Amino acid sequence: MIAAGLLVPRNRGEEVRQDLVDAGLLRSDLEIRREEESLVLPLAGNPDEVPPAWGSIVEREFRIIPRKGPARYRDLLPWSEEEKESLPRSFDVIGDIVLIRIPPELEGRKESIGGALQKFVPGARLVGLDRGVHGADRRREVEPIAGTGPWRTRHKENGVELDVDVERAYFSPRLAREHARVAEEVQSGDRVYDLCCGVGPFAITIAHLGKASEVTAVDANHEAIALLQATLARYPFAKRIHPLVARLEEFLPAAPPVERVVMNLPHEGIKYLPSVARTATPGGRLYYYEVVPRSELGRRGSTLVNALSPIGDFSLAAQRVVHPYSPASDLVMFAFARSG
Ligand SMILES: C[S@@+](CC[C@H](N)C(=O)[O-])C[C@H]1O[C@@H](n2cnc3c(N)ncnc32)[C@H](O)[C@@H]1O
């Protein structure tokens, strides 16, 4: 069948495929096409949502992957094809919980959608309507639409099972590869700050890899830190992580510099950036996340480097689009290297 795809060079194919999976943008009922030096990855949803940095949008003929059961949850609903097309293609799975965002016009049919998802996702216990994250703690507003039980679950990523409560502390399964990418850069003996750590996936992945000498994980939400402590109670590498309930305003002034600093507070992080940058040693690295309009992607890195110049000598070591945030903006990671 003819469908929209993303054309990428073969050597970036696996990385971009994973990015699309994390963003819920890879269509799973169609085969990936191989074309000389390129791959074409079939797209779910609106192609405009795909960050232009990941590849070019094309139209191609794709082969349908033969399956025993339905290829899409929407095929479990007795709706017309036109009605099914109005359903979102992507959803998130956190442990045994499934979360979906639906447009307001489908709210009246939310229980049927929830039922279809619960049948479709193996092991799904509870399905929730995701109404987004709000407030300083970035807690998710959720409403149960199928299944039973609490919002608390255990979610496996990067080889570790995290204690998560979908309602009480921020967590996104779409950041799993980002947690791993940052963790893999940590060098032997590095001391690390995971600022705004939530339930601690950066800190845990870093400590699990075993190179950091210690990781201090800080969050203002005491329920996030309690969940992190519950995870740590199950793992021997826990002793290298120091969880702390504190606001950045309290923690940063007296924090001694360390080799790696991660701050993932995409909407408000900019106001803390200078005081966070002070906590990176010369020779150290700062990982900073921000939602950036696509039109500004090319110059935002150098603007930030200039803003950091009164603090020290920082250069932009890397920049990557983590996932799309809206049709016109992306969540972006900036890695700054400090030389003096
Ligand atoms: C986007 S979440 C990041 C979660 C985590 N780093 C991850 O990758 O899953 C932002 C976190 O920052 C915390 N937060 C917001 N403002 C804060 C502040 N001023 N001081 C400390 N933590 C803060 C929130 O409680 C929330 O858990």
Side-chain angles (χ1 to χ4, degrees), residues 136-137 170 179 196-198 201-202 219-220 246-249 264-265 272:
D137 287 350
Y170 179 90
H179 299 142
C196 301
C197 65
F202 277 113
D219 201 285
R247 292 183 57 74
L248 291 184
E249 294 85 333
N264 177 14
L265 184 61
Y272 300 105

Side-chain angles (χ1 to χ4, degrees), residues 72-239:
R72 312 172 307 173
Y73 76 92
R74 54 176 73 180
D75 294 329
L76 292 168
L77 289 161
W79 297 10
S80 70
E81 274 312 309
E82 196 185 327
E83 287 174 317
K84 287 182 195 175
E85 276 307 309
S86 66
L87 281 164
R89 287 174 195 269
S90 69
F91 52 82
D92 286 326
V93 179
I94 302 179
D96 56 3
I97 296 174
V98 181
L99 294 182
I100 187 158
R101 285 172 174 248
I102 59 174
E105 63 275 15
L106 290 175
E107 286 257 341
R109 305 166 101 179
K110 59 192 175 196
E111 277 89 6
S112 318
I113 299 169
L117 275 169
Q118 197 180 6
K119 262 195 221 142
F120 183 76
V121 178
R125 167 180 58 81
L126 178 61
V127 183
L129 208 58
D130 180 355
R131 299 194 190 278
V133 293
H134 308 285
D137 287 350
R138 311 306 289 152
R139 289 177 202 239
R140 201 172 292 281
E141 191 185 334
V142 277
E143 179 190 333
I145 53 172
T148 52
W151 291 112
R152 184 158 177 163
T153 187
R154 281 192 187 158
H155 178 80
K156 191 161 187 180
E157 72 168 41
N158 300 316
V160 181
E161 269 199 340
L162 306 168
D163 277 77
V164 174
D165 189 313
V166 165
E167 202 179 27
R168 291 175 186 272
Y170 179 90
F171 180 74
S172 168
R174 298 184 183 206
L175 295 175
R177 289 199 330 117
E178 186 57 29
H179 299 142
R181 281 161 163 160
V182 170
E184 278 156 16
E185 291 191 19
V186 172
Q187 304 290 307
S188 209
D190 281 354
R191 294 160 297 168
V192 183
Y193 288 152
D194 178 3
L195 305 176
C196 301
C197 65
V199 304
F202 277 113
I204 290 169
T205 315
I206 290 167
H208 185 220
L209 288 188
K211 286 197 174 166
S213 59
E214 56 174 27
V215 185
T216 305
V218 183
D219 201 285
N221 178 359
H222 67 94
E223 295 191 273
I225 295 295
L227 288 156
L228 169 56
Q229 283 166 328
T231 302
L232 298 183
R234 293 183 285 106
Y235 287 105
F237 57 75
K239 58 182 186 309

